[in-house]
Amino acid sequence: MSVSGQTVLLMLLAGVAGQVTAYLLNGLPPIQEFPGKNGLSLRMTALFMLVPLLVSLLTDTDEQGVLVIVGQARIVCWIGVGGVAAALLYDVIQLVKSLRKAKIRESHGEPEPLSYAPQTRKDLLAEAQRQVRLRLKYAYGDQALINLVMESQEDKVSGAEIDGDVFLVPQPKQQIESLKDGRIRLAESEQTILQTFDDDDIAGQLLILGAPGSGKTTALLTLAESLLVRAEDSVEIPYIFELSTWQDKRQDIANWLMAQLKFEHNIDEAVSRRWIVDGHLLPLLDGLDEVEAARQAECVEKINEFVTGKLGQKVVVCCRTKEYDQIAESDGVRLNALNGALRLQPLEKAQVREYFEKMGRADVLQNLQDEAGLGALLQPREDEEGALLSIPLFLQILAIAYEPGKQITTKAELLDAYIVRRLSEAQRSKDRQLAKKKPVEIKWAYGKTAKEPDVETTTRYLSWLARKLNENSIPNVFLIEQMQPKWLDTTAGKRQYRLILGLIWGLIVGLILGLIGGLIGGLIGGLILGL
């Protein structure tokens, strides 16, 4: 059995017609208000392409004029096209309903929904909440929450000065309040990053600065969590974007935001564009320092253009202090469109001790008094900002890595101890036991802990991956689709990749040739061409 070249051509033309029709339908605003819109294009294209194929198969006859496709084969063909047609009919019914609802709202003068494309907005907020909570859990796990302190850095943005310190979570401060009967009492006052964000002088335009590991992303995640809770009763759509994915210095921020939402969640650009125009999208931009150095100044300028071009546009940006100062000094540009800046402060020794007290780590507290042991990590470092344990990241690492009798006096020794502890067989077995208690089943790459790679092998491959991510400016959130053939280091690996790629292309070409001139001959010819 074969399919004529004319039929193949008709199928291709029908596919194009299906795509064009779906594109025109997606341009209608009501199309966003019914479920199944994301699959509409695929179902319509499939149906359009099946029609000429079905006609060809059901009318194909041999030399005696007898139909080639008979019996059960004919039934299977009809079931296939019927299934696609039924799905498409459901879409049409939903579209008609949404058009009627829109017409009724318009005739009665009813207000528009909470935000454009309400179901899409609801799905995005739910996914954003899931991601934020998951990342916060990874950041802290079962450890105690470190209440980070931030101070105003108004000179970094030429904006407003913030009075007093700002805390990541509510921090009571004692102040005396006089009562009408003459008595006095101690009242609690507090200021959080959310309250600073809402301050009239800041107006939702904020820069967060800090040293590596100081908690910038954690502060952004905490703010995002509060904003997402509030978004349930407002039109705001807070979402975290990784600035490291901004690659084209000619691309403005609005188009980049739309492209990211399209890539990550398949949100139509017509929807995200209206969110931006209406001021509903609240971008939380993480990792300005992770943008390629040659493009950082252009990125700052694009952010300024985005904020000043839209009156009242809220935006939050995170960056390392050192890298931000280098941009300002070498290129003379700052995020002057923002109204305020906060800088995360190093932890005080009292905060370090309080942290380990909450963790119940008396062994760590005792050894911190030994300046020749863990106490060395509390001493200021040359050419560095503060002691190693003044950085929250290393405080958390120590809580995991330290074991009684373990000698840790330097950053290198601390990291080595952490790697050995996290990748030990006992810890990996514990991780599997804890995973069984979770409601969502986790699929492990290896059936048993004993079959997993040893510490040296795992460290080698993780180091390779980290090096490739750094070389290719890949953000912290890594997707397997971002791996490229150029990452292969060995000749054997590159040769294997070319062989696999040739086989894939050979099969594709062979199937096309097989539809035209015969399946077996086409596959053989296609594989030869591919190899």
Side-chain angles (χ1 to χ4, degrees), residues 442-517:
I442 296 178
K443 295 183 179 180
W444 300 91
Y446 298 88
K448 297 181 179 179
T449 306
K451 294 183 178 180
E452 294 179 354
D454 55 25
V455 176
E456 291 75 16
T457 302
T458 304
T459 303
R460 184 172 70 254
Y461 282 116
L462 287 177
S463 300
W464 173 86
L465 179 60
R467 187 170 62 254
K468 292 300 180 182
L469 294 178
N470 187 51
E471 291 173 357
N472 293 275
S473 300
I474 302 296
N476 295 331
V477 181
F478 171 65
L479 301 175
I480 192 67
E481 294 87 350
Q482 294 169 324
M483 297 187 72
Q484 299 297 322
K486 65 180 181 180
W487 291 20
L488 298 172
D489 296 324
T490 64
T491 303
K494 295 177 181 178
R495 186 182 298 115
Q496 185 179 7
Y497 167 76
R498 287 195 295 268
L499 176 62
I500 295 173
L501 187 63
L503 286 171
I504 294 173
W505 277 109
L507 287 172
I508 294 174
V509 174
L511 288 172
I512 295 175
L513 294 176
L515 290 174
I516 298 174

Side-chain angles (χ1 to χ4, degrees), residues 201-277:
D201 292 331
I202 303 302
Q205 298 174 351
L206 186 64
L207 171 64
I208 300 175
L209 298 170
S214 60
K216 300 181 301 298
T217 300
T218 301
L220 186 68
L221 289 169
T222 303
L223 176 60
E225 186 178 37
S226 300
L227 291 173
L228 285 166
V229 171
R230 190 168 68 182
E232 297 177 359
D233 300 318
S234 70
V235 296
E236 289 182 349
I237 308 174
Y239 189 81
I240 297 178
F241 295 87
E242 299 291 340
L243 277 171
S244 57
T245 62
W246 185 79
Q247 303 289 338
D248 187 357
K249 64 181 182 181
R250 297 168 299 179
Q251 186 180 35
D252 60 58
I253 296 299
N255 284 324
W256 171 72
L257 294 173
M258 292 187 291
Q260 288 302 111
L261 291 175
K262 176 68 176 178
F263 173 74
E264 295 179 9
H265 303 286
N266 196 30
I267 295 177
D268 192 279
E269 291 187 357
V271 175
S272 54
R273 181 181 293 108
R274 181 163 171 183
W275 286 346
I276 294 173
V277 171

Side-chain angles (χ1 to χ4, degrees), residues 148-152 162-168 191-194 196 342:
L148 305 177
V149 182
M150 293 160 276
E151 71 171 10
S152 177
I162 302 165
D163 296 330
D165 291 331
V166 175
F167 295 87
L168 187 63
Q191 185 176 13
T192 66
I193 188 171
L194 177 62
T196 302
L342 294 174

Side-chain angles (χ1 to χ4, degrees), residues 65-237:
V66 179
L67 289 174
V68 176
I69 303 298
V70 296
Q72 293 182 348
R74 290 170 60 87
I75 297 175
V76 171
C77 289
W78 280 113
I79 291 176
V81 72
V84 177
L88 194 59
L89 179 61
Y90 172 78
D91 288 334
V92 172
I93 294 173
Q94 296 300 315
L95 175 60
V96 171
K97 288 182 178 179
S98 63
L99 288 172
R100 288 179 177 176
K101 290 180 180 178
K103 188 175 181 180
I104 292 173
R105 285 200 305 267
E106 183 178 356
S107 62
H108 288 77
E110 294 182 9
E112 291 187 356
L114 181 64
S115 180
Y116 184 62
Q119 186 59 45
T120 303
R121 175 186 183 275
K122 182 179 179 181
D123 294 341
L124 180 62
L125 289 176
E127 177 60 20
Q129 285 181 334
R130 188 192 69 82
Q131 291 181 7
V132 166
R133 288 169 182 169
L134 186 63
R135 292 178 65 181
L136 279 173
K137 185 175 182 180
Y138 282 150
Y140 286 104
D142 298 327
Q143 296 186 347
L145 176 65
I146 304 174
N147 197 7
L148 305 177
V149 182
M150 293 160 276
E151 71 171 10
S152 177
Q153 298 276 289
E154 68 278 0
D155 59 311
K156 302 295 185 182
V157 294
S158 299
E161 181 178 1
I162 302 165
D163 296 330
D165 291 331
V166 175
F167 295 87
L168 187 63
V169 295
Q171 172 67 37
K173 293 184 293 183
Q174 292 182 343
Q175 65 181 26
I176 297 177
E177 180 181 3
S178 299
L179 302 178
K180 292 182 178 180
D181 58 4
R183 294 180 300 164
I184 61 173
R185 68 177 181 183
L186 292 178
E188 292 185 350
S189 63
E190 56 188 27
Q191 185 176 13
T192 66
I193 188 171
L194 177 62
Q195 292 170 328
T196 302
F197 175 85
D198 289 334
D199 187 273
D200 292 338
D201 292 331
I202 303 302
Q205 298 174 351
L206 186 64
L207 171 64
I208 300 175
L209 298 170
S214 60
K216 300 181 301 298
T217 300
T218 301
L220 186 68
L221 289 169
T222 303
L223 176 60
E225 186 178 37
S226 300
L227 291 173
L228 285 166
V229 171
R230 190 168 68 182
E232 297 177 359
D233 300 318
S234 70
V235 296
E236 289 182 349
I237 308 174

Side-chain angles (χ1 to χ4, degrees), residues 417-428:
Y418 176 77
I419 292 172
V420 171
R421 178 66 179 270
R422 291 299 301 171
L423 298 181
S424 66
E425 185 172 353
Q427 183 63 43
R428 288 183 280 123

Side-chain angles (χ1 to χ4, degrees), residues 348-367:
E348 302 289 343
K349 290 184 179 180
Q351 289 178 289
V352 174
R353 295 190 180 94
E354 181 184 3
Y355 173 77
F356 287 111
E357 286 175 358
K358 290 181 179 179
M359 292 289 295
R361 297 299 301 270
D363 54 340
V364 178
L365 285 169
Q366 182 178 357
N367 281 277

